[in-house]
Amino acid sequence: MAKSKQAALIGEVGEAFIANYLKKKGYAILAQNWRIREGEIDIVALSPTGKITFVEVKSRSSLAYGHPLESITREKAYRLQRLALAWLVSNSKFGADFQIDAAAVIISPSGGVEIDYREAVL
Amino acid sequence: MTIGVTHGVSLIGLSGTLVQIEVDISDGLPHYSLLGLPDLALMESRDRVRSALVNSRELWPNKKVTVSLSPAWLPKSGSNFDLPIAVAILAAQEVIPIERVVGSVFFGELALDGRIREARGVLPALISLLGSQIKRVIVPMANAAEAKLVSGLEIIPMENISELLKWLRSGIRVEVNELFPPLAERNFKDLSDVAGQLEARYALEVAATGGHHILMIGPPGTGKTMLAERLPSLLPELGEKDALEVSAIHSVAGVLKERGLFSKEPPFIAPHHTTTRTAMVGGGSSVLKPGACSLAHNGVLFIDEAPECVSGVLDALRQPLESGQITITRAIGSATFPANFILVLAANPCPCGRLSGRGRGCTCSSLQIRRYLNRLSGPLIDRVDLRIKVEPPTRTAFASGEGGESSALVRERVATARLRSVRRFKSLKISRNAEIPAFALRNEFKAERRGMSLLHSEMDRENLTARGFHKVLRLSWSIADLAEHDLPLLEDVQRALSLRDGMDLFE
């Protein structure tokens, strides 16, 4: 993928922010950037209520190209669902209760960070 | 979040349906779904509405937006739902008060910068709102004058979204100087331009009086087109109701500007002979548009070089000629447009066009000539009351401008004659001699006895069919009205016969 260095950096920073955000809320991070041939899951976490939570993180440096979460198309959503099942299977947790969240992180050049976290949207 | 509700109008043909627009904004990924059988242009409203709102510094919800247009089974088309959708989205976000939204209908397409663009079909849409619970309509500024032709609704013209929202929030409206275009003087091509052509002039006068259809046959360059163009100038000005009807049809077709908003002129529509059936009678897949014959409603439909018309196009006119309206049915529904016009057909006497006078120089074989004129089908020609030959003007007529009466003069005679006929029709629901039903012609609308026996003997000699018999009688009435006779005399009937069978080409 021809991702520029800066964009990759923003992505990394965004994911780190969300991991932190979840930890603060009492989540345990099970995996980060879990990757198979089909694609990648940004964050897998266990919620305080014991629910396995998959998080897709979208980071942007501005809203100039629209809301980050808009770039999650229907196909991407389906792929995330397949990935989530694949993770559950390969971690012998198939059948466990799970949900897929989406998080938008807007990192402005001045250093401000804005998080838009939406639960169970996929 | 609440559900935002606004109203719009879906227009099929000339009839509008009130459409309720509901917007629900719920948590979830940013998504926009539009329900209620939208067509492609309406599907694209999402991007127009979004840009318009964002560029007007309003909120676009980055959430799951569901827009529902009900009744859901009714296919909806066009961009006129942009405005009600935009307002409903804001109402769902509770960023505007709804007191001025309730009971209003919004109409208009949005430009990306938030301007409200001119819409098609405003007039018929508003007419169909009369009598509903809707009392207030927000229309594009460019349609303000058109919308105000409809009385009984509060019309609020708006230039752009910001102005509209300012009004919705505060009730304050930017004052507009409504520029009403001045009422145009009757601007006609005048009959006095035509040199000579006494018979053709008279035929036009009769056609204008009784609403008779007319066929002119003559070599090129004798003035058939010139004469036809001057027929509207002989017709009386349209009444309030008729003019509004014509304006509504032109509004749906998107050509009201060209016609002029307050025009009371009878329209003159001259489709080219290569025109398609759809263009002639109307049609379209997502928007049902009126055709030439409806645009010519209450006016004149002129088809030059009629035998050259694509086959079937002229015959498609048979329904409107018979019933004064045309019904078009397509997948999205069916629409009925009025189409009550005076048909004027022009044709050359033969394919080469030189068969007149002694026919010198004509190179056509008799078979060619027959084939050429046979392209005008019998059933169509049978509906044409007046069939005249137009010969080149004589030298003297040409030089002296003989018979150069002006349109105004003739129009006055036509108006007087029409008054006579209308007075006679009091019990019948008709307004023109061409519409007198056959049974009435055989009873209360008979001609003078000698005239009737002439017609009967013509029938006996098989010069006249039963339909022809009635047509000649109708013509006789128009001629009698012009001559201020109380009933058609023998001379009127004779003249009618000569105007109907001015040529032997079809017999």
Side-chain angles (χ1 to χ4, degrees):
Chain A
M1 211 192 266
K3 219 172 173 186
S4 79
K5 260 188 186 167
Q6 203 207 339
L9 189 68
I10 287 175
E12 251 171 65
V13 173
E15 281 168 29
F17 260 109
I18 294 300
N20 257 331
Y21 169 85
L22 289 173
K23 277 181 207 160
K24 263 186 230 161
K25 292 183 81 176
Y27 282 75
I29 304 295
L30 302 178
Q32 239 174 306
N33 298 327
W34 183 78
R35 193 188 290 266
I36 56 171
R37 217 183 58 178
E38 275 244 335
E40 181 184 298
I41 299 178
D42 293 335
I43 298 173
V44 187
L46 189 66
S47 79
T49 55
K51 209 175 197 180
I52 296 174
T53 307
F54 300 91
V55 188
E56 170 72 9
V57 184
K58 287 280 166 198
S59 309
R60 292 275 192 282
S61 57
S62 78
L63 284 173
Y65 296 100
H67 196 275
L69 294 186
E70 268 177 62
S71 63
I72 301 179
T73 58
R74 188 167 289 210
E75 283 133 63
K76 222 172 201 170
Y78 289 147
R79 195 170 67 217
L80 281 167
Q81 284 167 4
R82 285 198 304 273
L83 283 167
L85 291 173
W87 188 92
L88 292 169
V89 169
S90 62
N91 288 277
S92 323
K93 291 201 168 65
F94 190 73
D97 199 10
F98 75 98
Q99 71 177 44
I100 307 176
D101 297 356
V105 184
I106 297 119
I107 306 166
S108 60
S110 58
V113 175
E114 205 182 302
I115 290 177
D116 184 352
Y117 194 92
R118 302 193 187 179
E119 276 194 51
V121 288
L122 291 171
Chain B
M1 289 282 174
T2 54
I3 287 179
V5 180
T6 55
H7 288 94
V9 179
S10 164
L11 200 62
I12 292 179
L14 283 181
S15 75
T17 311
L18 191 64
V19 171
Q20 179 162 321
I21 291 119
E22 295 167 323
V23 171
D24 175 40
I25 299 177
S26 59
D27 289 333
L29 288 184
H31 182 71
Y32 182 95
S33 53
L34 183 55
L35 314 173
L37 302 185
D39 74 344
L40 212 57
L42 186 46
M43 251 351 224
E44 291 168 344
S45 69
R46 170 201 185 220
D47 294 319
R48 283 192 301 272
V49 169
R50 179 194 166 128
S51 294
L53 286 180
V54 171
N55 291 330
S56 306
R57 301 183 192 292
E58 292 297 330
L59 289 176
W60 176 261
N62 281 309
K63 295 194 170 183
K64 192 167 173 243
V65 179
T66 308
V67 181
S68 166
L69 312 176
S70 73
W73 50 265
L74 181 78
K76 293 157 206 81
S77 66
S79 53
N80 289 334
F81 288 103
D82 288 4
L83 200 55
I85 290 175
V87 174
I89 286 175
L90 295 176
Q93 297 181 83
E94 298 179 330
V95 295
I96 51 169
I98 58 160
E99 51 167 312
R100 286 179 200 85
V101 175
V102 176
S104 297
V105 151
F106 297 84
F107 208 83
E109 174 185 324
L110 286 172
L112 298 186
D113 60 1
R115 268 179 305 119
I116 301 171
R117 281 193 209 274
E118 185 171 1
R120 224 166 39 80
V122 169
L123 190 55
L126 297 202
I127 291 173
S128 61
L129 285 178
L130 291 172
S132 71
Q133 80 271 30
I134 299 297
K135 295 284 165 268
R136 202 186 299 123
V137 189
I138 287 81
V139 298
M141 188 60 82
N143 296 102
E146 177 184 347
K148 290 197 173 164
L149 291 177
V150 182
S151 49
L153 289 168
E154 187 188 353
I155 306 294
I156 300 182
M158 285 289 168
E159 193 78 59
N160 55 47
I161 280 251
S162 313
E163 268 181 32
L164 169 62
L165 294 176
K166 185 175 165 198
W167 172 72
L168 287 174
R169 285 178 175 133
S170 64
I172 297 168
R173 260 166 77 186
V174 182
E175 275 310 311
V176 285
N177 348 325
E178 276 146 18
L179 289 174
F180 281 98
L183 205 56
E185 281 287 299
R186 293 198 83 173
N187 183 18
F188 278 132
K189 293 183 172 167
D190 203 280
L191 198 60
S192 59
D193 303 338
V194 181
Q197 304 293 15
L198 289 181
E199 197 200 352
R201 278 165 168 273
Y202 183 67
L204 284 184
E205 194 171 329
V206 174
T209 302
H212 305 284
H213 307 303
I214 176 168
L215 166 67
M216 293 188 280
I217 294 197
T222 45
K224 301 186 295 289
T225 306
M226 210 176 166
L227 284 160
E229 283 173 343
R230 281 155 181 79
L231 180 53
S233 72
L234 307 184
L235 296 169
E237 209 169 65
L238 298 179
E240 200 75 42
K241 196 171 145 272
D242 289 342
L244 200 61
E245 204 173 22
V246 174
S247 294
I249 297 169
H250 281 71
S251 173
V252 179
V255 293
L256 188 55
K257 275 270 158 64
E258 286 81 345
R259 174 171 160 73
L261 217 45
F262 302 101
S263 182
K264 291 192 171 165
E265 308 290 324
F268 178 80
I269 305 291
H272 190 247
H273 61 256
T274 55
T275 206
T276 61
R277 218 182 298 199
T278 305
M280 187 64 90
V281 299
S285 52
S286 67
V287 178
L288 295 181
K289 276 196 171 188
C293 75
S294 295
L295 292 175
H297 178 59
N298 287 335
V300 176
L301 181 67
F302 174 52
I303 302 169
D304 204 359
E305 312 289 354
E308 303 286 0
C309 265
V310 182
S311 111
V313 170
L314 285 180
D315 285 305
L317 289 175
R318 281 196 235 160
Q319 191 206 336
L321 282 176
E322 206 58 39
S323 60
Q325 61 183 35
I326 177 102
T327 303
I328 309 156
T329 305
R330 295 287 185 275
I332 69 157
S334 86
T336 298
F337 291 108
N340 195 359
F341 51 85
I342 299 180
L343 179 65
V344 181
L345 299 171
N348 288 328
C350 68
C352 82
R354 273 170 286 188
L355 182 70
S356 77
R358 270 166 287 179
R360 274 190 296 211
C362 174
T363 55
C364 306
S365 69
S366 64
L367 186 64
Q368 272 179 312
I369 297 172
R370 200 138 37 111
R371 267 207 199 122
Y372 179 74
L373 288 172
N374 274 351
R375 282 189 225 158
L376 300 172
S377 76
L380 179 80
I381 288 306
D382 214 34
R383 288 170 169 81
V384 177
D385 301 355
L386 287 155
R387 305 168 197 169
I388 57 160
K389 263 184 181 162
V390 181
E391 297 288 351
T394 60
R395 242 160 91 174
T396 44
F398 207 60
S400 65
E402 171 205 10
E405 274 182 321
S406 73
S407 290
L409 213 67
V410 181
R411 189 165 63 237
E412 218 163 284
R413 278 206 300 270
V414 168
T416 322
R418 278 197 171 202
L419 219 60
R420 292 178 78 91
S421 54
V422 168
R423 238 179 271 142
R424 193 167 59 231
F425 295 146
K426 46 190 180 296
S427 61
L428 293 162
K429 277 197 179 116
I430 52 173
S431 57
R432 303 185 299 194
N433 287 330
E435 296 162 5
I436 306 177
F439 69 86
L441 286 170
R442 290 193 303 272
N443 298 299
E444 70 236 69
F445 291 137
K446 273 193 242 177
E448 186 200 18
R449 200 179 47 77
R450 284 182 304 155
M452 288 308 273
S453 55
L454 171 67
L455 288 179
H456 284 302
S457 66
E458 283 293 300
M459 267 180 95
D460 290 342
R461 266 181 274 152
E462 295 183 356
N463 286 339
L464 211 53
T465 61
R467 197 204 292 251
F469 172 89
H470 295 119
K471 293 261 168 189
V472 173
L473 257 180
R474 290 186 189 109
L475 268 185
S476 312
W477 273 108
S478 293
I479 292 167
D481 284 336
L482 278 170
E484 304 190 357
H485 297 155
D486 285 331
L487 90 171
L489 306 179
L490 178 62
E491 55 182 279
D492 300 328
V493 177
Q494 278 166 338
R495 196 144 194 201
L497 266 173
S498 80
L499 279 176
R500 179 177 161 85
D501 290 321
M503 73 209 126
D504 32 23
L505 292 155
F506 291 100
E507 312 304 332

